[in-house]
């Protein structure tokens, strides 16, 4: 992906309960070069009410938006917080990158 003009990521996810709605359920790590490469950004995935789909926009940090073309790996991680899952973290319906002229190299 070419991060030169990216500003955010839109996520559509499901998972969670009304009691935890809006709290961080898990994280998506954006890593460069490999699944264990440089951590460029951490995208929080919020609990959706009653497990319904939840669309959220997460801003990318300036350090990543100027990174240019990179091989990107997404790593899904549990938060380790009490009451949050350690497996079956969430369902990812779709993910899109936001910005003017977003392209693949």
């Amino acid at each position: 992906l070419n991060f030169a003009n990216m500003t955010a990521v839109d996520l559509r996810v499901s998972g969670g309960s009304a009691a935890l709605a809006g709290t961080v359920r898990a994280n998506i790590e954006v890593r460069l070069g490999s699944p264990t490469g440089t951590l460029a950004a951490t995208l929080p995935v919020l609990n959706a009410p009653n497990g319904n789909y939840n669309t959220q926009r997460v801003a990318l940090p300036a350090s990543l938006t100027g990174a240019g073309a990179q091989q990107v790996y997404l790593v899904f991680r549990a938060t380790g917080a009490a009451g949050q899952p350690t497996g079956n973290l969430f369902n990812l319906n779709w993910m899109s990158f936001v910005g003017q002229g977003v392209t693949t190299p």
Side-chain angles (χ1 to χ4, degrees):
L1 290 173
N2 188 343
F3 287 98
N5 296 310
M6 287 187 201
T7 57
V9 175
D10 286 341
L11 303 171
R12 178 124 168 120
V13 298
S14 70
S17 68
L20 298 172
T23 62
V24 178
R25 181 175 180 80
N27 291 301
I28 300 173
E29 295 176 352
V30 179
R31 294 194 171 262
L32 305 180
S34 77
T36 58
T38 302
L39 178 61
T42 300
L43 310 175
V45 176
L46 304 179
N47 278 292
N50 300 321
N52 293 330
Y53 278 97
N54 175 30
T55 303
Q56 60 190 74
R57 177 165 285 185
V58 181
L60 294 175
S63 60
L64 183 57
T65 59
Q70 298 282 332
Q71 235 180 8
V72 175
Y73 292 82
L74 303 175
V75 179
F76 301 86
R77 297 240 189 251
T79 64
Q84 301 299 350
T86 57
N88 297 320
L89 301 175
F90 55 89
N91 293 319
L92 178 62
N93 183 269
W94 54 258
M95 177 179 202
S96 66
F97 293 91
V98 179
Q100 190 173 36
V102 173
T103 62
T104 56

